[in-house]
Amino acid sequence: MKKLYIFSYGLYPGQVTLETLAAMKECGAVYTHCLDAATAARFAGLAPGLKLNTGLSREATAKAAVAALSKFDTVGFLTYGNPLFLNQTAAEVMKAAAAKKAAVRVFAAVSSFDTLVNLFNLNKFSPRGLRVVDAAASIDAPHFTPEMDTLIFVPDVLNLKSNAAAKKKFLAAAKAAYPPSAPAYLADCASISAAEAKVIKGTVGALASLLKKVNERHTLFLPAVKK
């Protein structure tokens, strides 16, 4: 049976697991959507026949990887973070492989979530727990739970021109839920793009200013506040 492996280098190459390295060596070809020629060089000798799909749409990326199954029994797809944590491209590859009746195996890896737990010392959650939010999925109906520690992923979508109205709604909802002095943090984890983690501290009252500093790697952390 044809097999498609989905694995990851984590946030940077040093986080590649032994399990993933072994899986790479089984593949006749490995496709990736998240490396350029320079960063791909770091995987020379590790991923046989590494093919760069940078710049393609999700559908085209998936189609290219799955098409290789006509030539090889096992094909790999290399991505970043934990492969199924807010990764629409990996989901598209799984869908395309299933349509070809190929067996799919996903290998766990380090994600930004894992790094954020360490960065903000979330070994012990707030009494009401930890909430994880995808800003893109909740953009039309933002909801805040100030009694919970909250990690909001992909907040950069709020800065798209098409989401200007949604951004105003997001800021208004945050202002209604939190006191102005409540802390807010933007975290850019150490990754293949940044050698060290960087954290920008602000407040909910100045959240509009904080969001102006957002890049595509940032996560917004709102610690729980006491009533």
Side-chain angles (χ1 to χ4, degrees):
M1 187 178 196
K2 298 285 185 174
K3 295 182 290 185
L4 190 138
Y5 291 163
I6 298 178
F7 36 54
S8 167
Y9 57 77
L11 298 185
Y12 49 84
Q15 293 180 336
V16 174
T17 66
L18 294 176
E19 181 183 43
T20 291
L21 289 174
M24 283 184 181
K25 293 180 181 179
E26 290 184 40
C27 299
V30 174
Y31 287 75
T32 183
H33 65 128
C34 56
L35 299 175
D36 56 24
T39 51
R42 304 188 193 186
F43 293 89
L46 299 179
L50 185 63
K51 312 291 184 183
L52 304 185
N53 284 343
T54 309
L56 296 181
S57 67
R58 288 194 292 269
E59 294 77 9
T61 296
K63 183 177 180 180
V66 172
L69 290 169
S70 63
K71 184 177 180 180
F72 303 104
D73 289 333
T74 304
V75 172
F77 181 73
L78 178 65
T79 187
Y80 58 85
N82 198 340
L84 298 186
F85 185 71
L86 300 177
N87 192 323
Q88 296 181 32
T89 304
E92 195 69 33
V93 172
M94 291 181 68
K95 179 181 175 181
K100 292 291 185 180
K101 301 190 184 306
V104 177
R105 182 177 176 187
V106 181
F107 295 79
V110 175
S111 72
S112 54
F113 176 84
D114 303 298
T115 301
L116 290 163
V117 167
N118 291 351
L119 191 60
F120 291 111
N121 192 22
L122 298 178
N123 187 36
K124 183 178 180 181
F125 299 160
S126 59
R128 290 295 180 89
L130 174 66
R131 183 168 176 245
V132 178
V133 178
D134 176 2
S138 61
I139 198 161
D140 293 324
H143 177 71
F144 292 93
T145 51
E147 70 277 11
M148 303 176 72
D149 290 329
T150 303
L151 291 168
I152 301 176
F153 290 87
V154 294
D156 58 299
V157 300
L158 294 165
N159 287 335
L160 296 176
K161 289 184 178 180
S162 58
N163 291 332
K167 183 177 182 179
K168 289 182 179 179
K169 189 184 297 185
F170 179 91
L171 291 171
K175 183 179 180 180
Y178 290 87
S181 60
Y185 302 89
L186 280 181
D188 186 352
C189 300
S191 68
I192 200 168
S193 301
E196 296 182 356
K198 296 180 180 179
V199 176
I200 304 173
K201 183 177 180 180
T203 63
V204 172
L207 194 55
S209 296
L210 195 62
L211 289 179
K212 291 179 181 179
K213 302 175 183 179
V214 167
N215 66 41
E216 70 279 0
R217 299 184 305 274
H218 274 130
T219 301
L220 176 63
F221 175 52
L222 301 176
V225 295
K226 295 181 179 180
K227 292 184 178 181

